[in-house]
Amino acid sequence: MSKSTLDEYKPEFHGTEDPYTLPNDATEQQRLTAQHEAWKATMHGNVVHAPVKDPGVVLDIGCGPGDVTRDLAERFPSAQVYGVDLSVLPQHANPPPNVTYIHGNIKQLLLPGSGDPRLASDSLDYAFARLVVCGMTEWPKYVRTVANAVRSGGWVEMHEWDFQVSENGVNVSNEWPWLQAEVQGARETKGLDMRCAQKLKGWMEDAGLVDVTEVRYRAPLGMWYAQEHPESKRMAEYLAKWWPSVNWLLIPSLTRGDDEQQVEDMKAQMLKDMDLAQAQQRKSYEIVVCYGRKP
């Protein structure tokens, strides 16, 4: 999106007290679907990493428009698949027959004794969560709560985006002050951890999960990485089209303590840095996948 288009965009939000920082309007639904397609391509078409076999009950946390939920339903046709999100599912979603969507906050829905009985303790065979980084607080407690909902022998799998940019494997986030402001502001104003991806493995182990495995993927800014890794082409295209607009929204939301002119300056600098990164063909983000089994 151009600066003029971004200026004209009037996003619609959830309207809840939850700290989730991104919209839930039609434009955001389009972005989430494009993100899913890019994510799936990066992972060679296989979103599920855990060695899950014939699950009876599957949970998709933060399901958005339901793209992953549908994938899980097709992969596990005999399972009851629940998709949970803060937003009501779009009417056009047309879910498969083995899918049920639940509108609400996953932390409340998983509370032992007072949550949704369909998601009771020790009831799930597989819990999947992706990209809750922009709305999740108290991560260790959250991971423990999800692990508690899974029965013995079941699996927990989480995918997160690390808000750090690298060049040839070296952290160069200090080149982008607006990115550092996002990370710091998220922590100070909303209690969000934009670096949670790097801590998933430890939190899963602390929650009592075993056989915890970590897999990392590169998300390139530009097509340079796709020359040798064609599976990353879709992600590079997604980032070129959508990532500036995501940060355009995150900067004012997460750096709310700064004055208006400083916010506008950071947004303008972000657009310049994104354009330069596309031209330089060297920078990338990282996706971290962790999964573990409940003993």
mmCIF file of all heavy atoms in Angstrom, residues 19 21 26-27 31 43 63 77 91 96 104 114 117 137 176 183 193 196 224 238 243 252 265 269 279:
data_model
loop_
_atom_site.group_PDB
_atom_site.id
_atom_site.type_symbol
_atom_site.label_atom_id
_atom_site.label_comp_id
_atom_site.label_asym_id
_atom_site.label_seq_id
_atom_site.Cartn_x
_atom_site.Cartn_y
_atom_site.Cartn_z
ATOM 1 N N PRO A 19 -5.824 -6.726 24.672
ATOM 2 C CA PRO A 19 -4.747 -5.895 24.116
ATOM 3 C C PRO A 19 -4.424 -6.147 22.651
ATOM 4 O O PRO A 19 -3.500 -5.534 22.119
ATOM 5 C CB PRO A 19 -3.544 -6.265 25.003
ATOM 6 C CG PRO A 19 -3.820 -7.652 25.464
ATOM 7 C CD PRO A 19 -5.314 -7.709 25.656
ATOM 8 N N THR A 21 -3.811 -5.816 18.977
ATOM 9 C CA THR A 21 -3.527 -4.502 18.402
ATOM 10 C C THR A 21 -3.903 -4.334 16.937
ATOM 11 O O THR A 21 -3.765 -3.236 16.401
ATOM 12 C CB THR A 21 -2.024 -4.198 18.539
ATOM 13 O OG1 THR A 21 -1.276 -5.267 17.949
ATOM 14 C CG2 THR A 21 -1.626 -4.058 19.992
ATOM 15 N N ALA A 26 -12.654 -6.215 6.835
ATOM 16 C CA ALA A 26 -12.518 -7.007 5.609
ATOM 17 C C ALA A 26 -11.092 -6.966 5.062
ATOM 18 O O ALA A 26 -10.578 -7.980 4.573
ATOM 19 C CB ALA A 26 -13.507 -6.502 4.558
ATOM 20 N N THR A 27 -10.438 -5.807 5.144
ATOM 21 C CA THR A 27 -9.059 -5.706 4.666
ATOM 22 C C THR A 27 -8.141 -6.605 5.480
ATOM 23 O O THR A 27 -7.264 -7.283 4.938
ATOM 24 C CB THR A 27 -8.571 -4.248 4.746
ATOM 25 O OG1 THR A 27 -9.393 -3.431 3.907
ATOM 26 C CG2 THR A 27 -7.121 -4.133 4.301
ATOM 27 N N ARG A 31 -5.732 -9.818 4.455
ATOM 28 C CA ARG A 31 -4.321 -9.932 4.825
ATOM 29 C C ARG A 31 -4.051 -11.268 5.527
ATOM 30 O O ARG A 31 -3.044 -11.940 5.245
ATOM 31 C CB ARG A 31 -3.899 -8.780 5.749
ATOM 32 C CG ARG A 31 -2.406 -8.808 6.092
ATOM 33 C CD ARG A 31 -2.047 -7.859 7.200
ATOM 34 N NE ARG A 31 -2.525 -8.291 8.495
ATOM 35 C CZ ARG A 31 -1.920 -9.207 9.254
ATOM 36 N NH1 ARG A 31 -0.823 -9.816 8.843
ATOM 37 N NH2 ARG A 31 -2.423 -9.532 10.437
ATOM 38 N N MET A 43 6.392 -23.437 4.628
ATOM 39 C CA MET A 43 6.520 -24.715 5.313
ATOM 40 C C MET A 43 6.237 -25.891 4.387
ATOM 41 O O MET A 43 5.827 -26.964 4.821
ATOM 42 C CB MET A 43 5.591 -24.733 6.534
ATOM 43 C CG MET A 43 5.982 -23.653 7.529
ATOM 44 S SD MET A 43 4.812 -23.453 8.900
ATOM 45 C CE MET A 43 5.637 -22.124 9.800
ATOM 46 N N CYS A 63 -7.968 -18.284 15.461
ATOM 47 C CA CYS A 63 -8.182 -18.859 14.124
ATOM 48 C C CYS A 63 -8.436 -17.824 13.039
ATOM 49 O O CYS A 63 -8.368 -18.148 11.853
ATOM 50 C CB CYS A 63 -9.316 -19.872 14.163
ATOM 51 S SG CYS A 63 -10.941 -19.157 14.519
ATOM 52 N N PRO A 77 -10.092 -35.530 9.233
ATOM 53 C CA PRO A 77 -11.539 -35.501 8.951
ATOM 54 C C PRO A 77 -12.392 -36.178 10.021
ATOM 55 O O PRO A 77 -13.591 -35.881 10.133
ATOM 56 C CB PRO A 77 -11.648 -36.231 7.610
ATOM 57 C CG PRO A 77 -10.410 -37.074 7.528
ATOM 58 C CD PRO A 77 -9.345 -36.294 8.212
ATOM 59 N N GLN A 91 -19.244 -14.540 7.643
ATOM 60 C CA GLN A 91 -20.349 -15.390 7.216
ATOM 61 C C GLN A 91 -20.010 -16.237 6.001
ATOM 62 O O GLN A 91 -20.554 -17.322 5.821
ATOM 63 C CB GLN A 91 -21.586 -14.533 6.933
ATOM 64 C CG GLN A 91 -22.176 -13.882 8.179
ATOM 65 C CD GLN A 91 -23.443 -13.099 7.885
ATOM 66 O OE1 GLN A 91 -23.834 -12.963 6.720
ATOM 67 N NE2 GLN A 91 -24.081 -12.589 8.919
ATOM 68 N N PRO A 96 -16.085 -26.552 7.206
ATOM 69 C CA PRO A 96 -16.345 -27.970 6.995
ATOM 70 C C PRO A 96 -17.259 -28.514 8.096
ATOM 71 O O PRO A 96 -17.378 -27.912 9.171
ATOM 72 C CB PRO A 96 -14.945 -28.603 7.074
ATOM 73 C CG PRO A 96 -13.997 -27.480 6.790
ATOM 74 C CD PRO A 96 -14.647 -26.257 7.353
ATOM 75 N N GLY A 104 -14.585 -15.870 21.477
ATOM 76 C CA GLY A 104 -14.205 -15.521 22.835
ATOM 77 C C GLY A 104 -12.706 -15.437 23.029
ATOM 78 O O GLY A 104 -11.924 -15.634 22.103
ATOM 79 N N SER A 114 -14.422 -23.001 34.994
ATOM 80 C CA SER A 114 -15.336 -21.936 34.595
ATOM 81 C C SER A 114 -15.262 -21.605 33.100
ATOM 82 O O SER A 114 -15.960 -20.713 32.629
ATOM 83 C CB SER A 114 -15.041 -20.654 35.394
ATOM 84 O OG SER A 114 -13.715 -20.209 35.157
ATOM 85 N N PRO A 117 -16.909 -25.883 28.507
ATOM 86 C CA PRO A 117 -16.786 -27.323 28.794
ATOM 87 C C PRO A 117 -16.265 -28.147 27.619
ATOM 88 O O PRO A 117 -15.731 -29.238 27.819
ATOM 89 C CB PRO A 117 -18.217 -27.728 29.166
ATOM 90 C CG PRO A 117 -19.097 -26.662 28.591
ATOM 91 C CD PRO A 117 -18.290 -25.400 28.640
ATOM 92 N N THR A 137 -0.653 -11.809 26.507
ATOM 93 C CA THR A 137 0.142 -11.404 27.667
ATOM 94 C C THR A 137 0.333 -12.624 28.570
ATOM 95 O O THR A 137 -0.294 -13.667 28.368
ATOM 96 C CB THR A 137 -0.563 -10.292 28.452
ATOM 97 O OG1 THR A 137 -1.848 -10.765 28.894
ATOM 98 C CG2 THR A 137 -0.765 -9.051 27.579
ATOM 99 N N TRP A 176 16.743 0.061 12.685
ATOM 100 C CA TRP A 176 15.351 0.472 12.563
ATOM 101 C C TRP A 176 14.819 0.903 13.932
ATOM 102 O O TRP A 176 14.195 0.089 14.639
ATOM 103 C CB TRP A 176 14.503 -0.669 12.008
ATOM 104 C CG TRP A 176 14.771 -1.003 10.567
ATOM 105 C CD1 TRP A 176 15.610 -0.349 9.713
ATOM 106 C CD2 TRP A 176 14.197 -2.072 9.814
ATOM 107 N NE1 TRP A 176 15.590 -0.939 8.470
ATOM 108 C CE2 TRP A 176 14.730 -2.001 8.500
ATOM 109 C CE3 TRP A 176 13.283 -3.068 10.111
ATOM 110 C CZ2 TRP A 176 14.380 -2.899 7.499
ATOM 111 C CZ3 TRP A 176 12.928 -3.967 9.124
ATOM 112 C CH2 TRP A 176 13.459 -3.883 7.828
ATOM 113 N N VAL A 183 8.756 -2.873 19.843
ATOM 114 C CA VAL A 183 9.025 -3.934 20.807
ATOM 115 C C VAL A 183 8.963 -3.401 22.238
ATOM 116 O O VAL A 183 8.339 -3.994 23.116
ATOM 117 C CB VAL A 183 10.402 -4.573 20.521
ATOM 118 C CG1 VAL A 183 10.783 -5.562 21.625
ATOM 119 C CG2 VAL A 183 10.393 -5.273 19.158
ATOM 120 N N ASP A 193 4.880 -9.338 24.476
ATOM 121 C CA ASP A 193 6.280 -9.711 24.252
ATOM 122 C C ASP A 193 6.469 -10.007 22.769
ATOM 123 O O ASP A 193 6.147 -11.096 22.294
ATOM 124 C CB ASP A 193 6.642 -10.937 25.095
ATOM 125 C CG ASP A 193 8.128 -11.271 25.039
ATOM 126 O OD1 ASP A 193 8.840 -10.706 24.182
ATOM 127 O OD2 ASP A 193 8.579 -12.110 25.842
ATOM 128 N N CYS A 196 8.585 -13.111 21.807
ATOM 129 C CA CYS A 196 8.136 -14.366 22.423
ATOM 130 C C CYS A 196 8.591 -15.596 21.647
ATOM 131 O O CYS A 196 8.765 -16.672 22.237
ATOM 132 C CB CYS A 196 6.623 -14.371 22.562
ATOM 133 S SG CYS A 196 5.731 -14.268 20.984
ATOM 134 N N TRP A 224 15.535 -12.282 -2.862
ATOM 135 C CA TRP A 224 16.891 -12.831 -2.888
ATOM 136 C C TRP A 224 16.959 -14.260 -2.349
ATOM 137 O O TRP A 224 17.653 -15.108 -2.901
ATOM 138 C CB TRP A 224 17.830 -11.923 -2.082
ATOM 139 C CG TRP A 224 17.403 -11.737 -0.655
ATOM 140 C CD1 TRP A 224 16.465 -10.855 -0.194
ATOM 141 C CD2 TRP A 224 17.881 -12.434 0.488
ATOM 142 N NE1 TRP A 224 16.321 -10.965 1.165
ATOM 143 C CE2 TRP A 224 17.186 -11.928 1.613
ATOM 144 C CE3 TRP A 224 18.830 -13.439 0.689
ATOM 145 C CZ2 TRP A 224 17.400 -12.392 2.912
ATOM 146 C CZ3 TRP A 224 19.060 -13.895 1.980
ATOM 147 C CH2 TRP A 224 18.351 -13.380 3.073
ATOM 148 N N TYR A 238 4.178 -11.611 0.078
ATOM 149 C CA TYR A 238 3.278 -11.163 1.147
ATOM 150 C C TYR A 238 3.886 -9.994 1.920
ATOM 151 O O TYR A 238 3.219 -8.986 2.179
ATOM 152 C CB TYR A 238 2.976 -12.323 2.091
ATOM 153 C CG TYR A 238 2.456 -11.885 3.437
ATOM 154 C CD1 TYR A 238 1.147 -11.429 3.598
ATOM 155 C CD2 TYR A 238 3.296 -11.891 4.550
ATOM 156 C CE1 TYR A 238 0.689 -11.003 4.832
ATOM 157 C CE2 TYR A 238 2.848 -11.463 5.785
ATOM 158 C CZ TYR A 238 1.545 -11.020 5.922
ATOM 159 O OH TYR A 238 1.088 -10.589 7.144
ATOM 160 N N TRP A 243 3.339 -6.118 4.761
ATOM 161 C CA TRP A 243 4.057 -5.851 6.000
ATOM 162 C C TRP A 243 4.166 -4.357 6.328
ATOM 163 O O TRP A 243 4.064 -3.977 7.507
ATOM 164 C CB TRP A 243 5.422 -6.524 5.966
ATOM 165 C CG TRP A 243 6.046 -6.670 7.322
ATOM 166 C CD1 TRP A 243 7.264 -6.212 7.732
ATOM 167 C CD2 TRP A 243 5.493 -7.342 8.460
ATOM 168 N NE1 TRP A 243 7.500 -6.547 9.047
ATOM 169 C CE2 TRP A 243 6.417 -7.237 9.517
ATOM 170 C CE3 TRP A 243 4.279 -8.007 8.686
ATOM 171 C CZ2 TRP A 243 6.190 -7.771 10.785
ATOM 172 C CZ3 TRP A 243 4.042 -8.547 9.952
ATOM 173 C CH2 TRP A 243 4.993 -8.422 10.974
ATOM 174 N N PRO A 252 1.589 3.437 15.866
ATOM 175 C CA PRO A 252 0.810 4.299 16.768
ATOM 176 C C PRO A 252 0.158 3.535 17.919
ATOM 177 O O PRO A 252 -0.049 4.090 18.999
ATOM 178 C CB PRO A 252 -0.248 4.912 15.848
ATOM 179 C CG PRO A 252 -0.347 3.974 14.695
ATOM 180 C CD PRO A 252 1.021 3.402 14.511
ATOM 181 N N ASP A 265 6.642 10.558 12.132
ATOM 182 C CA ASP A 265 8.018 10.436 11.643
ATOM 183 C C ASP A 265 8.453 8.975 11.601
ATOM 184 O O ASP A 265 9.124 8.542 10.647
ATOM 185 C CB ASP A 265 8.971 11.241 12.534
ATOM 186 C CG ASP A 265 8.791 12.743 12.378
ATOM 187 O OD1 ASP A 265 8.147 13.166 11.397
ATOM 188 O OD2 ASP A 265 9.292 13.488 13.254
ATOM 189 N N GLN A 269 9.549 6.834 8.314
ATOM 190 C CA GLN A 269 10.848 6.173 8.265
ATOM 191 C C GLN A 269 10.689 4.682 8.023
ATOM 192 O O GLN A 269 11.485 4.065 7.303
ATOM 193 C CB GLN A 269 11.622 6.412 9.566
ATOM 194 C CG GLN A 269 13.052 5.891 9.538
ATOM 195 C CD GLN A 269 13.890 6.544 8.463
ATOM 196 O OE1 GLN A 269 13.915 7.768 8.337
ATOM 197 N NE2 GLN A 269 14.571 5.731 7.644
ATOM 198 N N ALA A 279 15.061 -3.265 -1.804
ATOM 199 C CA ALA A 279 16.095 -2.987 -2.809
ATOM 200 C C ALA A 279 17.420 -3.658 -2.467
ATOM 201 O O ALA A 279 18.118 -4.173 -3.345
ATOM 202 C CB ALA A 279 16.292 -1.474 -2.939
#
